Amino acid sequence: MPELLDKRLVFVTGKGGVGKSTISIALGLAAAARGKRTIVCEVGGQETASRVFRRAEIGFHEVEVAENLWAISIDPDQSLREYLLLQLKVRAMRDMLVRSRIFNYLAAATPGLKELVTIGKIWELAQPNRRVKKAEEYDLVIVDAPATGHGIGFLQTPRTFANIARVGPVHNQATELDRFITDHDTTGVAIVSLPEEMPVNESASLEDSLRDEIGMAVDRVYMNAVYPERFSTSDAEQLEDGLDRADGAARAAVRAALSEHRRCRSQREQLQRLKQAVASPVKTLPFIFKPQLDVPSLERLAGALV
Amino acid sequence: MATITDIVDGRGICICAGSGGVGKTTTSAALAAGLAIRGKKVAVLTIDPAKRLADSLGLEELGNTPRRVDPTLFDPCGVEMTGELWAMQLDSKATFDELVRKHAPDAETRDRILENRIYRQLSNALAGSQEYMAMEKLFEIHQEGRYDFLVLDTPPSRNALDFLDAPKRLTQFIEGRGMQMFMKPTGFATRVVGRGSSMAMSMLKRVTGLDLLSDLSEFFQAFSGMVDGFRERAKRVSELLGDPATTFVVVCGPQGEPIEEAVYFHRKLVEAQLPVGGVIVNKVHYETEADLTSGEVQADLSELLGDDDLAERVARNFADYQALAERDARNVEHLQRELQPKAVIRIPYLDEDVHDLEALLKIDRYLFASEEQREELAASGAA
């Protein structure tokens, strides 16, 4: 099976607040640095890339944000319009359909349609022969996927539609999307976790459901924001001794060190738990002591990703 | 500066809102436990509790109705539970099914929906349904009137606003003009299968296929029988959110983005004329008053520990910590300016993960303290 960055499509997924957006962009930087023409896709109106690269809102455009690296924020309504044009081929027909009352109602009310057309657009971006006119091929598409809870439902949409529409164009296209995202040679998955109880549990159950319910293989799990091991157990004992005698800033510093030691120990436990709970290889990423993540710190993170 | 007690005083419902991964579930549990300890009969509606936290509350086999948490579980922590703590885990599909059973005009309509393939496979993906079902359950439990106080932990989502829009989106789905197309005998359903249909319809068929279109039509038609019941219900659920008995608490983390999201969300709540009590910031690195340079601190540490190497590492760690504490202080200050005079409650970044009662009670101590008491707690190292 190809390495993660040698696939055509990579989904970065995990619980909310674990750093999926950061890692998606860092993975994008890593792939771009290897000379791959890469695009990072955000969904659900996210605009992390525009903030990190200090751009105006990117929106539904493929925008070059760094050398070899593009970004897009996928809007379902625009994806749907684009899809309809590809299907109907004639712009006037598409516009007439989009203006009709029936269509508008169905488009707004059909459950799961937004997710389906979003995955449809992701698929289109990942094709060697792009369907969209004058669009150029990407070597790699990285998707900053929705937080789990919504995440599995999101990736399951193509299969659900393939089942519901037993025959016809939607069935065929949904089947093709499902086939593409479950093909381990073309599509990879990276789960992002944190060294805490809940994210570790959720990563393990996410890996299970991706495999059992959708048939996607997880390539790796990133344990994000792991503290450096600054103090040994004997250091900690020495610090405990010193704490009673300390005052002022020195006392605060000793306390901060002891806290760090305890957190670090609890992080190691969670790291062990994660390694036992998931089948995929686990890679740890350092906690970045930066008030606000910038491009240089993301580049540093990119180096640790592969 | 208001405290959590001021926020919940005289109220009956607290809705904990915020984007994913900021500790909403933990905060909801700590708030509910805190109120129960202080004598109230409280129910917390949670979405996905951490397994060990759930275990420690004895919640592992919870269904879609509240269960009482055994009060003796609090004994080892030296806390007397004078009220009652109840907890439930929301099952949004089951709640939707209950709603359909309740509002279907007859058994035939009910079965037609519950057995519809699109409903069964996709009702969770219905616009805003997960968020709406959380409110629906809250409304139902509130109606029963068996508790003094309800705490709702809102579903995990990237966009906290999804929650606010949920009743509107579901009502639009139910009562949109389009739905009426399905209710008329000459409406959509006949046009799907009929001949001589419009251009738009024939293009639609070309895109979706006739089979799927018929299924969708059947799905919408089945729902159209429940329009009145649903509309009325959604209106009342919506009203409950703006009720004087309800208060919203926004939960966030101390980093720049979560703080900005909290500011934005707070504005939206105010715009929607919903009652916001305040913001709880989790995992804050408390600042230490230190007027020494890092070199001086390191010299003090060397003397104290008698180990230059260790002193240097402690000093470097402290500098990193202080940088984060300064960032947090800046962000919280920004938040405070935005919220004035509402409460901003800082919960410190604890040394351990919060997944047992003991840790939950630590959160509780900060949550129910005044701002001055919190500073003291943090300074004394009670984290």
Side-chain angles (χ1 to χ4, degrees):
Chain A
M1 207 191 294
E3 241 297 283
L4 190 65
L5 295 185
D6 294 328
K7 310 219 175 195
R8 286 208 80 86
L9 175 59
V10 171
F11 285 97
V12 179
T13 180
K15 186 176 157 26
V18 293
K20 288 184 294 295
S21 303
T22 309
I23 287 176
S24 299
I25 295 171
L27 270 175
L29 286 166
R34 292 178 163 192
K36 287 183 185 292
R37 197 172 187 275
T38 307
I39 186 163
V40 175
C41 309
E42 300 189 70
V43 297
Q46 288 282 111
E47 280 279 350
T48 310
S50 63
R51 267 199 305 279
V52 168
F53 294 100
R54 300 178 179 280
R55 296 297 178 106
E57 248 180 42
I58 288 170
F60 194 64
H61 307 285
E62 295 162 43
V63 175
E64 191 168 6
V65 290
E67 198 187 343
N68 277 335
L69 185 64
W70 277 256
I72 182 173
S73 179
I74 297 181
D75 173 65
D77 292 337
Q78 303 213 51
S79 305
L80 180 57
R81 291 172 63 95
E82 189 183 281
Y83 169 78
L84 290 172
L85 183 58
L86 293 171
Q87 291 301 303
L88 295 167
K89 303 203 172 61
V90 183
R91 196 172 286 269
M93 282 171 79
R94 190 273 310 266
D95 292 347
M96 186 189 152
L97 179 59
V98 168
R99 275 197 308 269
S100 75
R101 223 158 48 112
I102 294 177
F103 173 79
N104 274 301
Y105 180 63
L106 275 181
T110 302
L113 184 65
K114 279 186 165 42
E115 289 79 4
L116 185 67
V117 294
T118 301
I119 295 178
K121 178 62 192 173
I122 291 166
W123 174 86
E124 193 277 324
L125 286 163
Q127 295 310 299
N129 297 306
R130 298 277 308 272
R131 303 298 196 268
V132 173
K133 264 190 206 161
K134 289 186 200 152
E136 279 190 60
E137 178 186 347
Y138 291 104
D139 298 317
L140 176 64
V141 175
I142 294 169
V143 183
D144 177 7
T148 41
H150 293 293
I152 311 175
F154 175 74
L155 293 168
Q156 223 167 11
T157 324
R159 181 162 304 177
T160 309
F161 269 88
N163 288 337
I164 289 175
R166 285 156 290 199
V167 289
V170 172
H171 170 81
N172 297 340
Q173 277 141 14
T175 306
E176 170 60 22
L177 294 184
D178 184 57
R179 196 198 57 71
F180 194 82
I181 66 169
T182 55
D183 178 349
H184 304 168
D185 286 333
T186 48
T187 303
V189 176
I191 294 177
V192 184
S193 193
L194 283 178
E196 292 170 22
E197 182 77 14
M198 270 175 85
V200 167
N201 294 347
E202 207 160 312
S203 302
S205 70
L206 180 57
E207 189 191 49
D208 284 349
S209 354
L210 285 171
R211 185 185 53 227
D212 301 342
E213 290 166 37
I214 310 183
M216 293 177 88
V218 176
D219 294 87
R220 70 178 56 142
V221 181
Y222 287 114
M223 185 59 117
N224 196 15
V226 176
Y227 286 124
E229 226 164 338
R230 281 172 160 156
F231 307 103
S232 66
T233 313
S234 69
D235 287 341
E237 281 163 12
Q238 220 176 320
L239 290 168
E240 289 282 4
D241 278 348
L243 185 65
D244 295 335
R245 288 176 281 121
D247 53 16
R251 185 177 162 83
V254 171
R255 268 188 43 213
L258 284 167
S259 287
E260 180 80 8
H261 176 68
R262 277 193 289 270
R263 274 178 208 144
C264 200
R265 227 175 27 195
S266 124
Q267 286 200 342
R268 304 290 134 172
E269 277 169 30
Q270 296 297 345
L271 184 60
Q272 287 317 312
R273 280 188 60 228
L274 182 72
K275 284 180 176 166
Q276 280 165 8
V278 298
S280 342
V282 173
K283 237 181 158 57
T284 57
L285 301 175
F287 181 88
I288 296 180
F289 288 93
K290 271 276 172 96
Q292 195 70 45
L293 285 184
D294 48 13
V295 179
S297 43
L298 283 172
E299 275 165 350
R300 197 155 67 82
L301 199 59
L305 284 168
V306 282
Chain B
M1 174 67 64
T3 68
I4 193 79
T5 319
D6 300 324
I7 294 175
V8 299
D9 221 18
R11 314 267 180 175
I13 294 174
C14 181
I15 299 175
C16 296
S19 47
V22 294
K24 260 185 314 205
T25 304
T26 305
T27 305
S28 308
L31 174 60
L35 290 169
I37 289 167
R38 288 162 184 80
K40 284 200 181 339
K41 185 177 177 188
V42 188
V44 55
L45 285 66
T46 183
I47 310 295
D48 59 342
K51 187 77 177 79
R52 250 155 73 182
L53 178 61
D55 285 351
S56 65
L57 292 176
L59 297 186
E60 60 272 46
E61 76 292 1
L62 257 206
N64 205 19
T65 47
R67 290 241 184 122
R68 184 162 180 197
V69 175
D70 181 1
T72 60
L73 288 174
F74 287 82
D75 293 347
C77 310
V79 170
E80 197 196 342
M81 173 66 69
T82 53
E84 290 177 21
L85 179 61
W86 294 67
M88 65 158 279
Q89 188 176 347
L90 181 83
D91 177 339
S92 88
K93 180 77 171 72
T95 307
F96 209 149
D97 290 352
E98 283 166 26
L99 202 60
V100 168
R101 286 197 190 92
K102 210 174 293 169
H103 292 291
D106 49 59
E108 195 203 328
T109 311
R110 182 196 63 207
D111 295 344
R112 226 173 120 194
I113 296 173
L114 294 181
E115 282 157 25
N116 182 282
R117 289 189 315 137
I118 294 183
Y119 174 79
R120 285 169 59 166
Q121 300 218 29
L122 283 169
S123 66
N124 267 328
L126 256 176
S129 73
Q130 227 201 357
E131 288 84 4
Y132 181 77
M133 291 311 142
M135 288 188 213
E136 167 62 33
K137 199 74 201 174
L138 179 77
F139 180 76
E140 185 194 311
I141 296 176
H142 179 72
Q143 287 290 97
E144 291 168 6
R146 286 193 286 128
Y147 303 94
D148 304 327
F149 203 90
L150 300 175
V151 179
L152 175 67
D153 165 28
T154 59
S157 82
R158 266 193 169 171
N159 185 354
L161 288 178
D162 285 352
F163 183 74
L164 286 183
D165 290 341
K168 199 175 78 200
R169 280 188 288 158
L170 208 72
T171 318
Q172 273 169 353
F173 161 68
I174 291 298
E175 66 180 4
R177 273 190 306 169
M179 185 59 93
Q180 287 153 26
M181 293 196 280
F182 302 105
M183 299 169 72
K184 283 184 254 160
T186 54
F188 185 72
T190 27
R191 285 162 67 197
V192 169
V193 286
R195 276 178 290 176
S197 44
S198 69
M199 273 287 278
M201 184 59 85
S202 72
M203 274 187 282
L204 199 56
K205 279 187 210 168
R206 207 162 117 193
V207 176
T208 63
L210 178 61
D211 197 47
L212 179 61
L213 208 52
S214 313
D215 272 353
L216 277 170
S217 156
E218 158 69 21
F219 170 69
F220 291 126
Q221 254 188 314
F223 256 100
S224 67
M226 308 206 309
V227 170
D228 292 338
F230 244 76
R231 182 196 294 141
E232 180 54 28
R233 183 78 166 188
K235 199 173 138 238
R236 290 172 66 195
V237 169
S238 230
E239 279 165 7
L240 181 65
L241 298 187
D243 194 276
T246 305
T247 186
F248 279 80
V249 164
V250 180
V251 184
C252 68
Q255 305 86 353
E257 272 177 49
I259 292 277
E260 285 311 325
E261 276 172 37
V263 166
Y264 176 72
F265 192 42
H266 171 254
R267 280 189 197 153
K268 289 286 165 187
L269 285 167
V270 172
E271 268 171 40
Q273 299 187 316
L274 293 170
V276 196
V279 177
I280 296 173
V281 191
N282 280 325
K283 293 193 176 180
V284 176
H285 301 82
Y286 267 72
E287 241 179 332
T288 325
E289 302 280 334
D291 41 15
L292 299 178
T293 65
S294 74
E296 287 169 321
V297 176
Q298 196 176 325
D300 282 0
L301 285 166
S302 282
E303 196 185 320
L304 175 78
L305 300 166
D307 181 337
D308 289 348
D309 168 59
L310 181 58
E312 194 196 326
R313 283 181 287 137
V314 171
R316 206 178 323 133
N317 177 68
F318 189 49
D320 280 340
Y321 178 89
Q322 289 286 75
L324 294 179
E326 274 164 35
R327 172 201 68 183
D328 291 1
R330 251 194 330 269
N331 290 339
V332 168
E333 206 177 301
H334 166 57
L335 185 67
Q336 241 149 7
R337 270 197 306 273
E338 191 66 38
L339 255 92
Q340 257 168 5
K342 287 175 205 135
V344 173
I345 295 169
R346 292 178 298 160
I347 307 293
Y349 184 20
L350 299 180
D351 290 355
E352 297 114 32
D353 240 17
V354 182
H355 49 63
D356 56 17
L357 277 185
E358 209 176 318
L360 203 62
L361 291 170
K362 266 184 200 165
I363 300 260
D364 172 78
R365 280 164 65 192
Y366 280 89
L367 200 52
F368 284 86
S370 69
E371 180 63 20
E372 296 73 39
Q373 288 168 324
R374 271 195 292 277
E375 288 283 354
E376 273 170 36
L377 275 171
S380 70

